[in-house]
Amino acid sequence: MSLESVRHFLAAHAPDIAIIELEHSTATVELAAQHHGVAPGQIAKTLSLRAGDREVLLVTRGDARLDNKKAKAVFGGRVKMLPADEVAAVTGHPVGGVCPFGLATPLPVYCDVSLRAYDEVLPAAGSTHSAVRIAPLRLAELVGAQWVDVSQEAA
């Protein structure tokens, strides 16, 4: 699944968006920023979270940190990262390649307002070597995301 499911999703919903595949791993924000030649903040990281009894995805800028107090208020309870095996099972994507496109299971998707600092961001595309370039507003629109403010203020 994974990269192929993202290909199918984009072909159906955004055929103008090309998947960028690199030889080098982009599994971390630092690696992705280095290999795509952008600031770490421009990498759109997708966090797989458990909020109460439900799983959700949160897309935020790469250098943002989750504010637990804000997240608790937004999601209605304590928020925890999913273990890697659950991430793969729920999203269909490996850790380091998780994105809100082509999911194995329909999940609520949230985009943190921190993404709006950039005209273009780079989320993964279902593998640890792929990404897409997309405007944050279009990303949210494509996946039906709700905008939230759950990141810590930048230092």
Side-chain angles (χ1 to χ4, degrees):
M1 192 174 214
S2 236
L3 180 58
E4 280 309 307
S5 68
V6 174
R7 278 191 213 289
H8 291 299
F9 178 89
L10 292 176
H13 303 284
D16 59 304
I17 297 176
I19 294 176
I20 304 161
E21 293 183 75
L22 300 178
E23 290 184 23
H24 304 284
S25 174
T26 55
T28 67
V29 169
E30 294 75 21
L31 287 172
Q34 176 188 347
H35 294 303
H36 288 289
V38 297
Q42 202 170 347
I43 300 303
K45 66 182 174 184
T46 304
L47 304 176
S48 304
L49 306 172
R50 177 164 290 115
D53 61 350
R54 64 191 181 116
E55 288 90 17
V56 302
L57 293 183
L58 172 66
V59 185
T60 187
R61 62 187 273 169
D63 59 358
R65 293 184 52 100
L66 192 63
D67 183 307
N68 290 323
K69 189 174 181 180
K70 287 181 180 180
K72 188 175 182 179
V74 166
F75 296 115
R78 187 166 173 252
V79 174
K80 296 187 323 187
M81 297 285 287
L82 291 179
D85 60 331
E86 287 185 47
V87 171
V90 171
T91 66
H93 305 315
V95 171
V98 177
C99 64
F101 314 116
L103 298 170
T105 308
L107 295 169
V109 179
Y110 298 86
C111 285
D112 188 76
V113 295
S114 64
L115 289 171
R116 294 182 184 167
Y118 296 97
D119 293 332
E120 183 179 72
V121 294
L122 286 90
S127 78
T128 58
H129 291 72
S130 63
V132 297
R133 289 181 177 267
I134 188 169
L137 295 177
R138 181 149 188 228
L139 184 154
E141 180 184 301
L142 267 178
V143 298
Q146 179 180 334
W147 287 100
V148 294
D149 180 4
V150 293
S151 289
Q152 295 176 4
E153 296 299 318

